Amino acid sequence: MTDLDPRSVDAGAAPEPAGGAGAVRAAGGISGAAPDASAPPSPSRPAPDAAAPSEVLNREVPAGRPDDGADARAQDRARDGADAEIPASEATVFSRAYRALTLGIISVVSLIAFEASAVTTVMPVAAERLDGVEQYAFAFSGYFTASLFAMTLSGEWCDRRGPLAPLFAGVAAFGAGLVVAGSATQMWMFIVGRGVQGIGGGLVIVSLYVVVGRAFPRRLQPAVLASFSAAWVLPVIVGPVVAGTIAEHVGWRWVFLGMPVLVLLPLMVMLPALRELPPGGHSAAMDRRRILLALAVAAGAGLLQFAVQDLRWLSLLPGVAGAALLVPCVLRLLPAGTFRAARGLPSVVLLRGLAAGTFLGAESFVPLMLVTERGLSPTMAGLSLTGGGLTWALGSYAQSRPRLDAHRERLMGLGMLMIALSIALAATALIDGVPAWIVAASWVIGGFGMGVTISGGSVLLLKLSRPEDSGSNAASLQVSDALGNISLVGASGVLFVAFGGGSATAGTHDAADAAGSSGHPAAFAAVLLGMAAMALVGAFVTTRLRPGKA
C-alpha cells in the first residue's frame, strides 16, 4: 500500500503560505511558470467564472492576495502558540496543539500498513480455501485499480468540502471491504471486497495529505510526512508473523474481520482537531470531467492488468482497449507537462512515479533471483530486503531536518542516485564469487534513497500547491505513484521474458522452478540494469524540480 519552496531556498526567509496554516501557494503550478498575482486563482481548478480549462492550464499561478501571507502567519502563530509554555518556534508535531492529530495519523497509517503486510501473508491460504488460485493476482490488482479512481475522487472532495468527510468515508469503505473479504465464500466475493478496500485506501491516503497541508504549519510538515514512512516499519516487521499465527491457530478470515474495530480509536482521537480544519476552497460542485477521467484510467489499468496476466492472442483486445483508455486520460488527469518534465509541480509528480516504479520493479524480482540463482531459501531471500524498510524510515526522518530544507532538491537527486546504485549493486550478486549478502547491503542504500526521495516529493507537492488545490495535486501524486508501479513492474516482466526468464504470468513457485532448472542470469540482469537506468532518468528529473522557465 505512496515527501521546498524552490523560489525561497532559505526556509527561514520563505514567505508563509496563503489560505491558512500549513497551506501553501503553487510556485509555477501546473505549467511550472513563476507566480504572478494577476493570473487566475488556480492552476488546475478554474474558478466558476474563470476561462476555459485549456487556457487556465497554460497560465501562471497567482501568489495570492496581498494580505493572505499575513493571515497565514497569524494562524500559524496561533497554532504554534497553543501550548503557552512552548515558544512557537520550538513547537513540535507532538506539542499539545498537534499531538492528537499526529498520533491519529500515525495510527491510521500503521493499521493500513499492517493490513497490507498481513494480507500478503494470508493471501495464498485464502485463495486456496476459496478455490481461486487462478484468480490470485486479481485479489491484488482489484485493490490497486479501485484506489486509482478513489484517489482523484478524494482530491476533488477534499478541495471542495475539506478532508473530514472523505477521510471518514474512506475508513468506512476500507472497513466494509475487510468485512466482505473476510466473509467471502467464493473468490469473486473476495476480489470485490478487496476492490472496496481499494476505494477506502485511495480516499484515506489523499485525505491525510490534505490534513497535513491544512493542519500543520509549513515548518512541521516534513516531520509529519516522515512519520508516514516510519509508521510502516513495525507493521512490516511484525505483520507477517502476527497474520501467520492468526491464520494458523484461528483462521485466515480473522486477519480481515479483526481489523475494522481497530481503526475506530485513532479516528475518535483525531476528530476534535479535524473538525477545526477549514472547509475546502471551492464552492462549486466537484469536477465531473476529472472524476470520469479517473474512472477511465482505472478501467484502462484494469484491462491492461488482465491482458498481462493472461498472455494469449485474445488478450490483445482488452490490452489495446486498456491502452486506448489509459494513455489519453492520464495525459489529461495529471498536471500539464508531467511527461516532458516541465519545471515545478509536473516534475515532482513525474519523479514520484519513477522512484516508486523503479524500486518496486527491481524489488519484485530480487527474491526470485536469490532463490533461483543463489540457492537461498524464500525466507532468507525475503529477509534480504528487510533492511531497506528500516533505512526508508531513516531517510524520511533525515529529509525532515529543518537545516536540510534549503537543499531538498539536491537531496532528492542524491536519493535517486542511491536507488540506481543499489539496484546495480544487487545485480552483481549474479556474478560468481560475489557474496549473496551484497543484496541486503545494497537494499539498505536504496531504502535510504527512497525515504529521502518519496517523502521529499510529498513536502514539495504541498509547498507548490495552493490550499484549494492541495487535494487534486495530492491525488495526482498518488496516481503517478500507482501508474509508475503498473508500468515499470510490467516493463520488468517484459524484460524478464524477453531475455529468457520464462513466463511472466507464472506463479512464484512455478517461476522459481523454471528459472532454477537452467538458470537465467541474463533475464535478471536485464531487469535490474533496466530499472537502474530508469532511476538515473529520475535523477535527471530532480534537476527540474525548481519552478522557472522550461
Side-chain angles (χ1 to χ4, degrees):
M1 307 274 111
T2 262
D3 294 335
L4 192 144
D5 188 346
R7 293 177 295 119
S8 305
V9 177
D10 182 357
E16 287 295 327
V24 289
R25 302 184 184 92
I30 298 299
S31 63
D36 182 350
S38 65
S42 168
S44 56
R45 301 270 68 76
D49 58 347
S54 59
E55 298 174 1
V56 175
L57 288 173
N58 292 320
R59 293 184 184 176
E60 297 173 338
V61 181
R65 299 186 305 275
D67 59 341
D68 281 349
D71 291 344
R73 285 191 293 272
Q75 293 184 36
D76 273 3
R77 285 195 298 269
R79 271 198 185 87
D80 287 345
D83 275 320
E85 299 83 3
I86 302 176
S89 60
E90 297 179 9
T92 70
V93 295
F94 290 107
S95 297
R96 183 163 56 87
Y98 307 105
R99 186 182 303 132
L101 198 55
T102 300
L103 292 175
I105 289 173
I106 293 174
S107 298
V108 170
V109 175
S110 295
L111 288 170
I112 292 176
F114 177 82
E115 188 274 342
S117 60
V119 166
T120 302
T121 302
V122 303
M123 190 70 76
V125 179
E128 182 181 0
R129 296 290 189 274
L130 297 175
D131 194 24
V133 175
E134 69 280 359
Q135 298 172 300
Y136 180 87
F138 291 105
F140 290 98
S141 61
Y143 179 100
F144 187 70
T145 303
S147 68
L148 272 176
F149 166 71
M151 290 169 186
T152 299
L153 175 63
S154 183
E156 290 292 317
W157 197 349
C158 288
D159 284 346
R160 281 153 181 79
R161 300 291 182 263
L164 180 60
L167 176 59
F168 274 77
V171 170
F174 191 80
L178 287 168
V179 173
V180 172
S183 306
T185 57
Q186 299 182 49
M187 192 62 181
W188 69 265
M189 296 174 61
F190 186 86
I191 295 172
V192 169
R194 291 288 291 160
V196 176
Q197 280 184 258
I199 291 175
L203 290 172
V204 167
I205 189 62
V206 174
S207 300
L208 290 179
Y209 271 82
V210 176
V211 167
V212 173
R214 296 187 181 183
F216 293 87
R218 189 171 63 187
R219 62 185 183 79
L220 294 181
Q221 289 174 9
V224 183
L225 293 170
S227 73
F228 279 50
S229 297
W232 277 79
V233 174
L234 186 60
V236 167
I237 294 174
V238 305
V241 177
V242 173
T245 301
I246 293 174
E248 182 178 350
H249 296 286
V250 183
W252 67 267
R253 296 182 184 277
W254 290 102
V255 175
F256 295 89
L257 297 177
M259 286 288 296
V261 177
L262 299 178
V263 184
L264 296 178
L265 180 59
L267 285 181
M268 294 303 101
V269 171
M270 296 167 65
L271 185 57
L274 290 173
R275 283 177 171 171
E276 296 178 2
L277 295 180
H282 291 289
S283 59
M286 288 191 286
D287 188 339
R288 293 184 179 180
R289 173 180 173 274
R290 187 171 174 83
I291 294 174
L292 288 175
L293 285 173
L295 186 60
V297 167
L303 288 171
L304 280 176
Q305 290 173 68
F306 174 80
V308 170
Q309 292 165 12
D310 185 20
L311 292 181
R312 295 180 298 172
W313 285 108
L314 288 177
S315 299
L316 286 175
L317 294 177
V320 171
L325 276 174
L326 184 64
V327 174
C329 292
V330 165
L331 291 175
R332 291 170 173 81
L333 189 62
L334 296 183
T338 295
F339 294 103
R340 58 180 175 84
R343 287 189 176 275
L345 184 62
S347 286
V348 174
V349 172
L350 175 61
L351 180 64
R352 179 62 169 259
L354 287 173
T358 53
F359 200 67
L360 183 60
E363 189 174 64
S364 299
F365 285 86
V366 166
L368 183 61
M369 177 188 74
L370 292 174
V371 170
T372 60
E373 302 296 325
R374 300 306 301 261
L376 271 64
S377 68
T379 301
M380 291 302 299
L383 288 174
S384 297
L385 306 179
T386 303
L390 299 176
T391 55
W392 189 320
L394 181 61
S396 297
Y397 171 80
Q399 66 79 37
S400 70
R401 298 301 83 198
R403 70 185 64 180
L404 297 178
D405 197 48
H407 311 289
R408 191 171 306 281
E409 295 92 338
R410 290 190 289 274
L411 282 174
M412 293 171 68
L414 177 61
M416 289 305 300
L417 290 175
M418 293 176 73
I419 294 169
L421 174 62
S422 72
I423 297 173
L425 276 177
T428 63
L430 295 166
I431 302 173
D432 291 338
V434 175
W437 56 257
I438 191 68
V439 173
S442 70
W443 237 243
V444 167
I445 298 172
F448 189 89
M450 283 293 288
V452 170
T453 304
I454 296 294
S455 296
S458 297
V459 173
L460 278 178
L461 177 98
L462 291 178
K463 292 192 174 183
L464 295 175
S465 299
R466 289 167 55 88
E468 60 267 34
D469 295 320
S470 57
S472 58
N473 288 341
S476 294
L477 194 74
Q478 297 298 322
V479 168
S480 177
D481 192 332
L483 291 174
N485 287 335
I486 289 177
S487 57
L488 291 178
V489 171
S492 294
V494 171
L495 287 171
F496 188 72
V497 173
F499 283 81
S503 173
T505 59
T508 302
H509 184 269
D510 294 337
D513 290 343
S517 60
S518 57
H520 297 283
F524 290 109
V527 169
L528 296 177
L529 296 180
M531 292 302 102
M534 290 304 300
L536 292 177
V537 173
F540 166 76
V541 173
T542 63
T543 66
R544 311 277 297 171
L545 298 178
R546 289 177 179 268
K549 294 182 179 179

